[in-house]
Amino acid sequence: MVRYAEPGAVEWVESGGGPLIAVPETVLPFWTGADGGDAASDYDRACEVDGHVGLLPVGDRTALVLGDEPASTAYLAAHGSFVRWCAANSEEEALAGVAAALDTADWEPEVSWHVPGPVLLFDAAWPGAACDRADHVRVALDPGRYAVRAAEVRPGPETWLNVVQLRRLADR
């Protein structure tokens, strides 16, 4: 993980140029990343996601793909959101407008994501079994269903972010 400011303040994940993926810890061994031999790999499936977010089956669960931009990404628990730093002069500038941006965002249609608990966010090219050696962040989610929505926001003249917000839904 990358840190731009104080250690432990905000942890950012970067990719080698492709999408990031949030895989439930319970199914990490089933994500093979770019290892696929002659067949299409899990990474290839993640690259096919069109737009800011998509869901892919992994084992008996579903992973969340953060597509579109290979931007540095952090999870801000206070906002229940992944923040993708596309353009800003500093981390402080990137984070300063998040709260207002979430209130005024023009959201894309949301998807429903069921998670069994914590997920790991990492470069989709890495196999899940090896993500402990890769740039990753553990996101402590409570088990249940979440509404996931994404938006591109520009909270400042030189600041551009993609945000992916998770909102816990009532159990049925």
Side-chain angles (χ1 to χ4, degrees), residues 28 120-123 126-136:
L28 275 175
L120 262 62
L121 177 70
F122 57 95
D123 186 331
W126 281 90
C131 76
D132 60 334
R133 297 190 310 264
D135 195 18
H136 72 280

Side-chain angles (χ1 to χ4, degrees), residues 63-144:
L64 177 68
V65 177
L66 303 182
D68 192 44
E69 287 284 324
S72 294
T73 302
Y75 183 74
L76 303 181
H79 298 291
S81 300
F82 292 101
V83 175
R84 312 200 70 211
W85 178 351
C86 301
N89 291 320
S90 67
E91 178 183 54
E92 183 178 79
E93 188 177 290
L95 297 174
V98 170
L102 292 172
D103 289 339
T104 60
D106 184 16
W107 298 101
E108 295 177 357
E110 60 187 38
V111 297
S112 179
W113 183 34
H114 186 270
V115 296
V119 300
L120 262 62
L121 177 70
F122 57 95
D123 186 331
W126 281 90
C131 76
D132 60 334
R133 297 190 310 264
D135 195 18
H136 72 280
V137 167
R138 183 176 188 269
V139 179
L141 297 177
D142 290 329

